[in-house]
Amino acid sequence: MMSRAKILCLLIGFLVLVAIPPATTALDADFYMGLAARMMIFAIAAVSLDLLLGYGGMVSFGHAAYLGTGSYAVAILAFYGITDGFLQFAVAVGASALVALIIGFICLRTKGVYFIMITLALTQMLYFLGISLEEYGGDDGINTDRSEFFEWFDLGDDTNLYYLILFFLVLSLWISWRLINSRFGMVIRGSQSNDDRMQAIGFPTFRYKLTMFVIAGVICGVAGFLLANLTEFVTPEYMHWFRSGEIMIMVLVGGMGTLFGPVFGAIAYLLFEEVISDFTEHWMIIFGPILVLLVLFARKGVWGMLPGRERGDD
Amino acid sequence: MSLLLLLEQTLNGIQFGVFLFMISAGLTLVLGIMNVVNLAHGSFYMLGAYYAATIMAWTGSFILALVIMLPAMLITGIVVEVLVLRTMYERDHMDQVLATFGLILFFNEAVRMIWGAESMPMDIPAFLSGHVDFIPDAPYPIFRIAIIIAGLLVAALLYVMITRSRTGMLIRAGASNRPMVGALGVNIRMLYMVVFGMGAVLAGFSGLMAGPILSVEPGMGEDMLILAFVVIVIGGIGSIRGAVVASIIVGIFETVGRSILPALLTQLMSSDAAQSMGPAMSSMLIYIFMAAVLFFRPEGLFPARTG
Amino acid sequence: MKIKFIAMTAALAMTATPVMAKTIKIGFINTFSGGAAIYGKHQKDALELALDHKGRKIGGLDVEVIYGDDQRKPDVGRQVAAKMLQKDKVDVVSGIIWSNILAAVQKMVVRDKTFMITTNAGWSHMAGKGCNPYFFSTSWNNDQSPEAMGKLMQDEKIDNVFLISANYQAGKDMLTGFMRNYKGKIAGRILYRLGQRDYQAELSQIRAAKPNAIFGFVPGGMGVAFGKQYRAAGMHKTIPFYSVFTIDYLSMPGWGKNAIGTYSTAYWDVSSKRPDNQKFINDFKKKYGYHPSLFAAQAYDLPFLLEYAVSAVKGDLSNKKGMIKAMEKVTYLPTKGKFSYNTNHMPIQNFYKRKVVADANGDPQVVTESVVLRDHKDAYYKQCKMRRP
């Protein structure tokens, strides 16, 4: 059971997210709607990464790969004049599943530091691939238009896009919740604490972990699909290893191994970046030490610090 | 491509490999012995270059830069160890990655604020400038030969220290069973502090050797950091021997690959496509190679005895 | 009490009303953090100096500059631009170093009917099919400097040139531009990896090809490293280095004496004795203690360009048509000297041959030697179909 404070927090948070578009339109502050949309997209990415970090014990340092794959799916199809949203979505999902399958298949044979480094290296490889895709803008990136779904649902309208992103955020949280509490999720969590024992009991943990790896990749690919739609622009930069680090930080800030933590982590991180980079261009010199302090003293993250059982709300 | 050029490129590859080894040595030491992922290793490399460039700008002496930079790096390393890393030993790798990621951000910005965002001048010292002709028509810079010699010295020194000296014995013992060595009355804290400091010194030393031929600028460590990780992962974490072999392989792969790949591809496709595919493929080559190695040997080429 | 109250409201009213209409807001997006922050520093310093010179007024209006850091990430740049448009309601979005960030930002700016004035990024799309009435440039199109270099090497009959450039869009544009005017033999061609620092393999390859000269695009720290290794290998004695956007006062601290003896082409006549140009260089050196780069010059011109627009409409910033018309007619800017705007709002300007020489103290100094291309138009303007508002 979740504590009352947490339930209250979630409820308020959800209502605020729902109310943002009318509120910002009324106050003529569209900028904040864009910012909130961006936060939710990174929240989706962070939620998916937490499936690996917090539950699967797979420290992937290359989660940006799927952000890039999902967004390039949109841009490349649009480049050939295919703007149908359903098709773009299907390709984004399929492509990120495939990339995750290949990367996972190679990486999951390794453990510990090897796993961290090989996920990092393979993502960096995709980044260089993106730079050399001359046809699709290479390093310059590529402009794209918003996906087209229905006549009555025009994604060109920012509010519609916003609610689509909110829908996917809720959906990805729901999927994660179902996954974690399923038998499948139990095996994954079991293998996090003792992989050998799980294997000894007779679970082929490699297959389980690979499945989880692919699911996480697909959810992050959906975040990429949404990011391409929000920015109407795709660049290899989405796959840079600093980006992977940022998503990791969001998970940590929010609280690893919690369902809702990463959402709050993404919001906190982007809000912080927004506020502090206004204040000084040397914001990294403040942010670096804060990150160190967070790791040292606030392992449970923002969400974990609220009252309630530590891992019970997942 | 002529045979002589291929020979020259192989030499270039070995030289680059030796340089990679210098950077990787400290990283693999810290990772292998202390089981700490230190992303800030690249920052130490940068700091070493900046310290040296600053001292050279003041005194004009490369030797003086070396003599002052080494203890300065030791102190920097120890300060970082005491303030941040010390509390990280019992944590998992992810925490170490994030905390040292924070250190990267901090050091990059600090360097930018202190020394400015532009490249800092640092020239090849007079006594190491010039070139020799041991391949006909291909004068080879003396400074690059100095890098090869320096790298071999580092390798020899580390080998002797770890296998022959009492400190090395303690280090090896501490890596395999920390509580036991502690119980025997050895100050593990002190030992780790020294090892970490040494890692910083090694990184700083490679920064010093890189300064005169590469560019001394904020963030110069990141590119090298990733390459260094590739090297130690291929070689097997904690293994100096592995680092030597892997860095030479990666060095040759990188260098020879990027010089002959475009030519090879031209045979297969149009020259234009080859020209742009070549460099893209060669920059991916070492990652593919790494993936292949790890696929067949998940613990690298030379797995160290201890985890 | 009552009297005091009235006085206060009166004072408030007096200060409040003029402020409303009498400020021009400039959103200046640049790279202020990360590895390329040096560009942001040069451009910001230059813009501030220009505003000092103009008494902090443009066309009689007060100036408010909002600086935004794009961190060299296109999506961050877009986020910053959105904030400037939607929250700060700026009249002009300017700055922008990189083509990819301009690509990410421009669409939303011009859609909002806000002026988009690049002070560097020379993305060809904006000069051709993507041209827009609200878009202006104080710099150049990417291809132009290498076009000048191609012409220079062709005119000087330097045959058998080796080309080296970075493997990304701008790098390839540089070679395309070069080949437009250069008709001689090519000894070889290398596209190196973006961010590469060790060029020994490339240098070996170049030497083996026995060229008469190198044409290179090796910007920033990459160039600094290249320069050191080129000199260490002793190649400066036999194979001269010609470049664009590689050796300038921005990278000079790192290049140092290695730069002496190299050639480049650029639009800025740094040696010009024109008083405006000298005032810019001297005051810049006095205020900041370093020599301005051509990137600084481009940013310095921005307030002077806006001056024409704002005074033409007498401070009425809602008269965008009038402002566009006024800027199209501009024929003089302090660091450019005489020039004019083409139909695609890109400058038609001279390109110069520049050489790095040692000054009295033996320090490197850029001097312009001759005009290579006079009143040069970019290669894309014919594709531009300007739709006026």
Side-chain angles (χ1 to χ4, degrees):
Chain A
M1 269 302 288
M2 248 185 261
S3 72
R4 220 173 266 163
K6 281 186 177 172
I7 293 175
L8 197 69
C9 216
L10 282 180
L11 208 62
I12 294 173
F14 181 71
L15 289 177
V16 167
L17 285 180
V18 172
I20 278 179
T24 49
T25 314
L27 295 170
D28 192 22
D30 289 349
F31 164 71
Y32 292 101
M33 186 161 86
L35 184 64
R38 192 177 148 83
M39 285 171 175
M40 289 194 294
I41 289 172
F42 277 96
I44 297 173
V47 166
S48 71
L49 179 61
D50 193 32
L51 287 177
L52 302 181
L53 296 183
Y55 299 102
M58 296 172 261
V59 186
S60 165
F61 203 164
H63 215 54
Y66 317 107
L67 204 61
T69 311
S71 51
Y72 264 103
V74 176
I76 292 177
L77 284 178
F79 180 78
Y80 292 112
I82 303 166
T83 50
D84 180 64
F86 293 102
L87 189 61
Q88 287 183 343
F89 184 79
V91 173
V93 166
S96 32
L98 187 68
V99 171
L101 186 69
I102 296 170
I103 292 185
F105 189 71
I106 298 171
C107 299
L108 283 170
R109 299 171 60 91
T110 64
K111 285 198 190 86
V113 184
Y114 291 98
F115 185 83
I116 300 179
M117 288 313 145
I118 193 169
T119 47
L120 167 70
L122 288 178
T123 307
Q124 196 66 2
M125 195 180 93
L126 283 179
Y127 168 73
F128 283 121
L129 181 70
I131 283 185
S132 54
L133 285 178
E134 198 175 349
E135 192 75 18
Y136 312 117
D139 181 63
D140 279 355
I142 180 167
N143 272 301
T144 177
D145 292 317
R146 297 217 167 138
S147 310
E148 286 163 12
F149 283 96
F150 299 108
E151 236 10 63
W152 50 268
F153 187 76
D154 177 17
L155 221 51
D157 182 57
D158 287 344
T159 311
N160 284 345
L161 177 63
Y162 179 93
Y163 283 119
L164 184 71
I165 296 170
L166 181 58
F167 166 75
F168 275 114
L169 176 61
V170 173
L171 185 69
S172 60
L173 284 169
W174 182 75
I175 291 175
S176 304
W177 180 70
R178 289 298 301 260
L179 267 179
I180 296 157
N181 292 305
S182 66
R183 180 172 168 279
F184 171 80
M186 295 299 174
V187 175
I188 292 286
R189 286 154 78 180
S191 86
Q192 180 183 17
S193 33
N194 194 333
D195 197 53
D196 294 335
R197 187 172 297 169
M198 290 309 284
Q199 282 183 25
I201 304 173
F203 287 106
T205 53
F206 178 82
R207 255 186 277 159
Y208 277 80
K209 280 174 158 177
L210 186 59
T211 311
M212 191 61 143
F213 199 84
V214 171
I215 293 173
V218 166
I219 298 179
C220 191
V222 172
F225 167 84
L226 297 169
L227 187 64
N229 269 295
L230 180 70
T231 58
E232 295 172 81
F233 184 75
V234 174
T235 144
E237 196 63 49
Y238 292 170
M239 295 184 276
H240 195 263
W241 72 280
F242 258 62
R243 193 73 61 154
S244 302
E246 278 179 344
I247 306 176
M248 229 169 164
I249 293 170
M250 291 170 192
V251 175
L252 175 100
V253 169
M256 225 168 50
T258 62
L259 185 58
F260 297 102
V263 179
F264 288 87
I267 293 173
Y269 178 83
L270 291 173
L271 204 63
F272 181 81
E273 184 190 73
E274 185 61 41
V275 173
I276 196 175
S277 61
D278 264 3
F279 170 67
T280 165
E281 65 196 45
H282 297 296
W283 62 280
M284 297 260 196
I285 204 147
I286 304 167
F287 182 67
I290 288 183
L291 184 55
V292 174
L293 291 177
L294 277 173
V295 175
L296 287 182
F297 301 113
R299 277 226 61 189
K300 287 189 286 178
V302 183
W303 183 249
M305 281 192 262
L306 290 173
R309 259 172 54 198
E310 261 177 45
R311 295 181 67 118
D313 47 72
D314 40 18
Chain B
M1 181 184 286
S2 74
L3 206 63
L4 271 181
L5 182 58
L6 191 66
L7 182 71
E8 189 186 346
Q9 294 293 28
T10 312
L11 178 67
N12 290 336
I14 292 173
Q15 183 268 317
F16 186 58
V18 170
F19 176 64
L20 274 181
F21 166 75
M22 281 203 286
I23 302 177
S24 314
L27 194 63
T28 203
L29 209 62
V30 169
L31 190 50
I33 293 169
M34 297 156 64
N35 200 19
V36 167
V37 185
N38 177 26
L39 295 187
H41 196 73
S43 301
F44 290 147
Y45 163 80
M46 170 178 73
L47 285 178
Y50 267 95
Y51 288 172
T54 310
I55 299 161
M56 256 184 98
W58 283 343
T59 64
S61 161
F62 187 72
I63 299 294
L64 215 57
L66 174 75
V67 171
I68 301 175
M69 184 275 293
L70 292 180
M73 281 314 298
L74 186 68
I75 294 169
T76 310
I78 287 177
V79 168
V80 171
E81 199 269 351
V82 171
L83 287 182
V84 181
L85 266 295
R86 176 161 291 186
T87 41
M88 286 285 150
Y89 297 142
E90 304 302 323
R91 299 293 195 83
D92 57 28
H93 290 314
M94 159 141 179
D95 284 3
Q96 297 164 355
V97 164
L98 285 172
T100 51
F101 189 76
L103 287 178
I104 292 187
L105 301 180
F106 172 78
F107 280 122
N108 278 348
E109 201 57 52
V111 162
R112 196 169 296 125
M113 286 170 81
I114 296 170
W115 283 283
E118 63 271 18
S119 298
M120 193 169 176
M122 184 174 182
D123 291 328
I124 295 177
F127 69 96
L128 289 176
S129 63
H131 32 78
V132 288
D133 283 298
F134 53 86
I135 299 175
D137 278 338
Y140 206 75
I142 291 176
F143 195 80
R144 288 191 184 264
I145 297 171
I147 290 180
I148 297 180
I149 295 172
L152 295 180
L153 278 178
V154 168
L157 208 71
L158 281 178
Y159 182 77
V160 171
M161 207 192 76
I162 290 182
T163 54
R164 299 275 182 272
S165 77
R166 189 180 142 74
T167 326
M169 194 186 72
L170 288 177
I171 288 173
R172 278 179 292 143
S176 24
N177 195 335
R178 191 182 159 155
M180 183 60 82
V181 178
L184 290 173
V186 177
N187 189 344
I188 283 279
R189 257 189 174 208
M190 190 71 187
L191 195 66
Y192 273 29
M193 197 168 83
V194 171
V195 171
F196 192 82
M198 260 173 48
V201 168
L202 282 171
F205 180 65
S206 26
L208 165 97
M209 294 307 285
I213 54 163
L214 305 185
S215 165
V216 183
E217 61 189 327
M220 65 187 276
E222 263 95 274
D223 244 26
M224 290 300 169
L225 175 76
I226 295 188
L227 272 184
F229 269 120
V230 169
V231 163
I232 65 170
V233 164
I234 291 177
I237 289 165
S239 161
I240 294 291
R241 196 163 44 130
V244 173
V245 174
S247 51
I248 301 290
I249 294 177
V250 169
I252 293 180
F253 238 75
E254 243 265 331
T255 308
V256 179
R258 72 175 195 254
S259 62
I260 64 171
L261 247 172
L264 282 180
L265 287 172
T266 319
Q267 317 273 324
L268 300 172
M269 50 179 105
S270 78
S271 166
D272 256 18
Q275 283 297 340
S276 86
M277 279 301 287
M281 280 189 61
S282 58
S283 55
M284 290 190 289
L285 209 60
I286 53 162
Y287 299 115
I288 297 171
F289 176 65
M290 167 178 167
V293 168
L294 287 194
F295 189 78
F296 295 107
R297 300 184 68 113
E299 302 221 309
L301 294 175
F302 297 88
R305 281 149 288 115
T306 58
Chain C
M1 272 317 241
K2 203 171 187 179
I3 295 169
K4 199 175 169 189
F5 177 69
I6 292 168
M8 263 175 63
T9 28
L12 266 174
M14 275 170 71
T15 49
T17 25
V19 170
M20 292 266 294
K22 295 247 161 136
T23 303
I24 176 170
K25 280 192 179 181
I26 304 173
F28 199 73
I29 302 176
N30 223 301
T31 305
F32 294 115
S33 63
I38 182 70
Y39 290 93
K41 179 173 171 355
H42 275 234
Q43 291 222 317
K44 183 181 181 181
D45 283 356
L47 179 60
E48 286 294 323
L49 180 72
L51 291 173
D52 287 353
H53 282 169
K54 297 193 67 51
R56 302 259 144 200
K57 294 247 185 229
I58 290 179
L61 303 186
D62 290 331
V63 186
E64 186 187 346
V65 183
I66 296 141
Y67 290 101
D69 179 14
D70 58 35
Q71 304 173 32
R72 205 183 173 172
K73 295 179 195 155
D75 59 322
V76 175
R78 201 179 181 283
Q79 183 73 12
V80 171
K83 187 174 175 185
M84 287 172 170
L85 294 173
Q86 293 160 2
K87 189 174 155 208
D88 303 315
K89 312 246 185 286
V90 296
D91 303 296
V92 179
V93 173
S94 187
I96 310 222
I97 297 293
W98 314 101
S99 293
N100 56 351
I101 293 177
L102 181 62
V105 163
Q106 55 90 16
K107 210 156 99 182
M108 66 188 308
V109 178
V110 297
R111 193 160 49 189
D112 196 63
K113 296 194 172 26
T114 301
F115 285 101
M116 171 81 249
I117 304 179
T118 172
T119 55
N120 190 63
W123 190 35
S124 297
H125 179 73
M126 297 310 291
K129 287 187 191 115
C131 69
N132 190 286
Y134 293 97
F135 174 84
F136 281 86
S137 163
T138 67
S139 54
W140 24 258
N141 165 255
N142 269 350
D143 300 7
Q144 285 184 293
S145 300
E147 275 165 16
M149 187 49 91
K151 175 90 165 29
L152 174 73
M153 296 182 89
Q154 180 70 21
D155 288 354
E156 297 192 349
K157 301 201 169 46
I158 302 166
D159 199 28
N160 209 21
V161 176
F162 201 105
L163 312 180
I164 178 164
S165 187
N167 190 27
Y168 74 120
Q169 203 49 50
K172 288 170 192 162
D173 288 352
M174 294 299 153
L175 298 187
T176 315
F178 180 81
M179 296 302 291
R180 238 172 237 140
N181 288 330
Y182 177 76
K183 303 294 170 215
K185 221 180 125 219
I186 300 292
R189 211 168 92 117
I190 289 177
L191 293 167
Y192 59 85
R193 180 173 61 79
L194 194 62
Q196 187 170 320
R197 289 293 185 274
D198 193 4
Y199 294 94
Q200 187 60 30
E202 283 73 12
L203 289 171
S204 293
Q205 212 175 326
I206 293 174
R207 186 167 40 210
K210 300 196 169 47
N212 292 324
I214 304 170
F215 165 66
F217 169 65
V218 202
M222 295 183 277
V224 171
F226 181 86
K228 287 179 179 178
Q229 296 161 31
Y230 163 74
R231 207 164 174 96
M235 287 168 68
H236 61 292
K237 288 179 213 146
T238 48
I239 311 170
F241 184 59
Y242 292 73
S243 66
V244 287
F245 301 116
T246 300
I247 300 173
D248 186 53
Y249 283 105
L250 185 102
S251 59
M252 203 59 95
W255 271 84
K257 296 192 170 88
N258 295 334
I260 293 169
T262 63
Y263 296 92
S264 59
T265 46
Y267 83 96
W268 185 32
D269 184 5
V270 53
S271 314
S272 165
K273 292 278 171 275
R274 247 177 333 98
D276 279 346
N277 191 49
Q278 288 300 320
K279 184 181 178 199
F280 162 60
I281 295 174
N282 291 332
D283 288 2
F284 192 99
K285 282 203 282 198
K286 211 180 294 162
K287 186 170 177 189
Y288 303 112
Y290 66 97
H291 196 293
S293 60
L294 62 92
F295 304 98
Q298 289 152 203
Y300 180 82
D301 281 346
L302 174 70
F304 296 88
L305 174 65
L306 290 172
E307 172 82 36
Y308 290 107
V310 178
S311 32
V313 296
K314 303 201 169 51
D316 175 15
L317 297 176
S318 62
N319 182 0
K320 311 226 164 158
K321 245 187 202 165
M323 290 174 74
I324 293 173
K325 228 179 227 156
M327 285 199 277
E328 283 174 339
K329 287 197 199 111
V330 171
T331 55
Y332 180 88
L333 284 172
T335 72
K336 278 189 196 300
K338 267 185 73 67
F339 80 107
S340 60
Y341 271 114
N342 203 343
T343 49
N344 58 355
H345 294 177
M346 298 295 294
I348 302 176
Q349 57 196 347
N350 293 347
F351 281 79
Y352 298 88
K353 175 188 183 187
R354 303 146 32 111
K355 187 183 183 187
V356 182
V357 297
D359 67 4
N361 302 324
D363 291 326
Q365 186 191 8
V366 181
V367 292
T368 33
E369 285 196 332
S370 58
V371 182
V372 182
L373 288 169
R374 208 170 281 283
D375 299 330
H376 184 45
K377 295 173 183 165
D378 61 79
Y380 299 93
Y381 74 95
K382 283 179 187 145
Q383 299 171 18
C384 162
K385 294 185 183 64
M386 190 73 81
R387 263 177 283 163
R388 279 162 207 291

